[in-house]
Amino acid sequence: MIRSIRARIALLGALWVACPWAHALVFAVNEGVTYRVSNDEIRARYALIAADLSKLLRQPVSVEPIGDYPTLRKGLEGKAYDIALVHPAHVSIGAIKNSGYRLVAVAKGFEKYQANFLVRADSPLKSLAELEGRRLGAPDEDSITSWMVRATLRDARVDLKNVSMTYTRYQDAVPFFVENSLTHAGATAAASVIKDWQAKGGKVLAQSKQVPIKHVIAAPSLSAEQVAGLREYLVALDASDEGRKKLEPSKLRGFAVYDEAEMMALGKWLGL
């Protein structure tokens, strides 16, 4: 399989060189609500992968970091991105549902993203239903974590209008609210934050469903053959030393196939 991919890349690379007039495909990259690194660093992380995709798709591929969700949504709605690596599942699902994008793959290690509801060790709360009429801290209102939090509360038949939500930009600020009784509970999906909370004696009141995040999606402008080739390339990356070296700058372990119908069912649960 790996040899066939290398052969395909080499052959298509030769064809691409012979067709220098091909227009550039845009590979949009979003890694969350905000970047804490420069756009140039983001481009460098995916440069090797983009070079392979240029050969595979027979067109130049340019990496375009997109740091905020409104810009990302607008670009996806206008089909401005031919390929997109999207951190927030709800934005990706929206593009599949409304703009004709197709799910190519999901990032390994992020398939079981899960919101945890944190309470103090001395909290009297025993269930999510008891949060009605109380205060809850959560990450950015448009983060995938907060979309999962609201869906989980609806499952618990909690009227969201009767929960006082306090949103913060970063997930690691959520425990501060709970520790200092600014909120009765806090919600986060950051594994390090949850681990630290429990190590200090804090409790986890409940957990949400698991949602895969960090999706690669393809625009309707790519043919079925191109999408299949893109999927085959991404899924095989972590199977060789060469591929793992290309993944290393991105800090991703690799990619896996995920059923698009199942993803859309999760979108319905999220309220999309």
Side-chain angles (χ1 to χ4, degrees):
M1 179 178 177
I2 295 172
R3 287 183 179 177
S4 67
I5 293 173
R6 287 175 179 167
R8 182 183 297 182
I9 290 174
L11 174 60
L12 296 181
L15 292 172
W16 171 59
V17 170
C19 302
W21 57 85
H23 78 275
L25 298 174
V26 178
F27 177 17
V29 176
N30 175 278
E31 296 183 330
V33 175
T34 58
Y35 287 136
R36 301 192 189 192
V37 294
S38 69
N39 283 351
D40 285 343
E41 186 173 339
I42 296 296
R43 291 189 181 96
R45 287 181 180 180
Y46 296 92
L48 295 175
I49 291 175
D52 275 353
L53 295 183
S54 296
K55 298 170 185 176
L56 180 66
L57 300 173
R58 288 179 272 182
Q59 291 172 254
V61 173
S62 62
V63 178
E64 186 63 32
I66 308 294
D68 65 277
Y69 292 0
T71 300
L72 179 63
R73 279 194 176 95
K74 185 176 180 181
L76 291 170
E77 288 169 3
K79 302 179 182 65
Y81 314 131
D82 301 283
I83 307 165
L85 171 61
V86 181
H87 168 88
H90 59 295
V91 175
S92 170
I93 293 169
I96 296 170
K97 179 180 179 181
N98 302 314
S99 300
Y101 279 79
R102 287 155 291 176
L103 180 64
V104 179
V106 299
K108 288 184 176 179
F110 295 91
E111 303 102 319
K112 298 180 179 181
Y113 199 73
Q114 189 173 40
N116 283 240
F117 292 79
L118 313 181
V119 295
R120 287 167 47 130
D122 60 356
S123 173
L125 299 178
K126 302 297 182 184
S127 69
L128 288 179
E130 295 175 74
L131 284 175
E132 188 150 354
R134 299 178 188 268
R135 301 184 301 277
L136 176 65
D140 185 278
E141 185 173 4
D142 194 28
S143 66
I144 179 57
T145 303
S146 285
W147 276 80
M148 293 164 67
V149 164
R150 293 188 291 268
T152 304
L153 290 174
R154 287 193 296 268
D155 283 351
R157 299 188 178 181
V158 173
D159 187 341
L160 296 178
K161 293 182 292 185
N162 294 330
V163 178
S164 178
M165 299 291 295
T166 299
Y167 294 106
T168 181
R169 190 171 188 179
Y170 299 115
Q171 300 206 40
D172 50 13
V174 169
F176 177 84
F177 297 148
V178 187
E179 288 171 355
N180 294 279
S181 300
L182 300 175
T183 61
H184 296 96
T188 178
S192 60
V193 173
I194 298 163
K195 182 178 180 180
D196 184 61
W197 180 257
Q198 292 179 308
K200 292 178 179 178
K203 297 189 297 185
V204 173
L205 179 66
Q207 295 176 308
S208 73
K209 287 183 180 181
Q210 296 176 342
V211 175
I213 60 171
K214 293 190 185 296
H215 309 164
V216 176
I217 56 177
S221 57
L222 268 64
S223 69
E225 182 183 4
Q226 286 176 311
V227 172
L230 175 59
R231 181 179 292 115
E232 183 182 1
Y233 167 77
L234 291 173
V235 170
L237 265 176
D238 65 338
S240 67
D241 289 339
E242 181 184 352
R244 286 189 289 272
K245 287 179 181 177
K246 293 173 182 179
L247 280 168
E248 188 174 350
S250 72
K251 300 180 181 179
L252 296 174
R253 287 169 40 192
F255 295 92
V257 175
Y258 195 88
D259 184 73
E260 188 172 294
E262 289 185 23
M263 190 69 75
M264 298 310 290
L266 286 171
K268 186 175 181 180
W269 172 71
L270 289 169
L272 297 169

